[in-house]
Amino acid sequence: MNISELMKQAQQFQEKLAVIQNDLSHQQVSGSAGAGMVVATVNGRGELLGIAIESALVQPDNVQMLQDLVVSAVNDGLHKAKELGKAEMSRLTGGLNIPGLF
């Protein structure tokens, strides 16, 4: 394989990677906690898009529990987004694990 062919493959890889990253920014996953009383919506790039909280949890004496549930829901959503990203990247890399991609 010559250097020109290698450079062409690298450019194609970069183009495909950009498409996947764009696609991931439009895909959404939800993480939840407290039997769905707190739901965090995250895009495939790991950006938090929204939080939904059941009104029954919004009480002054439930602040610590509410905070814990929000953290748990966000972490669940981020975990799902990371798994989504890994699945999309494995399509690009043919299952080859390339450190730093996701």
Side-chain angles (χ1 to χ4, degrees):
M1 179 180 290
N2 64 35
I3 192 75
S4 175
E5 184 64 27
L6 187 60
M7 293 299 288
K8 183 178 176 182
Q9 286 181 355
Q11 183 178 0
Q12 289 172 344
F13 182 85
Q14 282 184 315
E15 290 168 359
K16 289 177 184 177
L17 179 60
V19 168
I20 287 175
Q21 288 175 331
N22 184 55
D23 290 347
L24 285 171
S25 69
H26 294 91
Q27 295 182 40
Q28 296 182 6
V29 294
S30 293
S32 65
M37 294 185 80
V38 177
V39 177
T41 303
V42 180
N43 70 15
R45 295 195 61 168
E47 298 166 332
L48 181 63
L49 302 175
I51 297 278
I53 301 171
E54 289 285 326
S55 60
L57 287 176
V58 185
Q59 297 183 20
D61 59 336
N62 277 346
V63 172
Q64 183 63 48
M65 181 179 68
L66 178 57
Q67 290 170 340
D68 293 343
L69 290 173
V70 168
V71 169
S72 293
V74 170
N75 284 335
D76 186 40
L78 292 174
H79 174 73
K80 289 177 179 176
K82 186 174 185 175
E83 292 303 312
L84 177 64
K86 282 182 182 179
E88 292 293 319
M89 288 299 162
S90 73
R91 285 188 8 223
L92 175 63
T93 63
L96 185 64
N97 185 16
I98 300 175
L101 278 183
F102 249 84

